[in-house]
């Protein structure tokens, strides 16, 4: 598993904002884990398919747990 950092999160946000195709985010596919003494966050991402990527996140902090499902899709808007 890879350990994400703040720099990684910023690179992802910049990549998503400027992506010409969802395929340019293929590096994100796989399992990501960040763990400290008091918390753990894990994300799982699929490879790009159908101009979309899907992911799941679980976060544990002390006795609290949360989860979310994620979708990353390249949207194209056309002017009428």
């Amino acid at each position: 598993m890879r350990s994400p950092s703040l720099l990684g999160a910023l690179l992802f946000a910049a990549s998503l904002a400027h992506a010409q195709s969802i395929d340019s985010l293929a590096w994100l596919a796989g399992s990501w884990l960040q763990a400290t003494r008091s918390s753990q966050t894990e994300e799982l991402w699929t490879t790009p398919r159908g101009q979309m990527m899907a992911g799941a996140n679980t976060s544990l902090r002390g006795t609290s747990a949360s989860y979310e499902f994620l979708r990353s899709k390249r949207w194209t808007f056309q002017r009428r």
Side-chain angles (χ1 to χ4, degrees):
M1 291 188 195
R2 303 171 217 159
S3 178
S5 65
L6 179 58
L7 178 58
L10 292 173
L11 287 172
F12 169 68
S15 296
L16 187 58
H18 294 93
Q20 295 301 314
S21 143
I22 200 72
D23 293 329
S24 65
L25 299 177
W27 60 269
L28 185 62
S31 177
W32 298 79
L33 176 68
Q34 179 178 14
T36 67
R37 288 184 151 172
S38 60
S39 67
Q40 177 178 315
T41 300
E42 182 175 16
E43 274 193 21
L44 305 169
W45 284 93
T46 63
T47 56
R49 289 188 200 117
Q51 289 301 306
M52 186 181 81
M53 291 177 72
N57 169 288
T58 57
S59 297
L60 307 170
R61 174 171 270 168
T63 59
S64 297
S66 64
Y67 67 93
E68 62 185 334
F69 297 102
L70 311 153
R71 179 180 68 173
S72 186
K73 180 177 170 119
R74 178 74 180 161
W75 294 94
T76 305
F77 296 98
Q78 296 179 358
R79 190 178 273 182
R80 290 183 176 211

